[in-house]
């Protein structure tokens, strides 16, 4: 149980802290991350809306 908790919480937390420290050093973003940051926000908004809509549809169909 403790191992599962460490995998589920510890690893993402460690990665978040590591990448935060790397970005605070002032180095430029990697090229793949720069390309993602240049995309218009509506692409991400449509994706989130689609996830919500599909989750709602799944919930309704399971009832």
């Amino acid at each position: 149980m403790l191992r599962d908790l460490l995998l589920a919480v510890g690893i993402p937390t460690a990665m978040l802290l590591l990448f935060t420290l790397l970005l605070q050093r002032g180095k430029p973003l990697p090229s793949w991350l720069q390309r993602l940051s240049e995309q218009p926000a509506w692409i991400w908004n449509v994706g989130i809306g689609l996830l919500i809509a599909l989750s709602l549809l799944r919930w309704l169909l399971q009832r």
Side-chain angles (χ1 to χ4, degrees):
M1 176 106 164
L2 183 61
R3 181 178 172 199
D4 294 336
L5 182 63
L6 179 65
L7 288 174
V9 176
I11 292 175
T13 303
M15 289 177 63
L16 179 66
L17 290 174
L18 176 70
F19 288 126
T20 300
L21 289 173
L22 287 174
L23 287 175
Q24 284 182 343
R25 291 184 130 172
K27 293 183 179 180
L29 293 174
S31 61
W32 63 272
L33 196 53
Q34 285 179 347
R35 282 194 308 262
L36 283 177
S37 67
E38 293 170 357
Q39 298 296 324
W42 66 268
I43 292 174
W44 305 109
N45 292 340
V46 168
I48 296 299
L50 190 59
L51 284 172
I52 292 171
L54 290 174
S55 297
L56 181 62
L57 180 64
R58 179 179 172 219
W59 180 75
L60 288 172
L61 290 174
Q62 284 182 349
R63 288 184 55 185

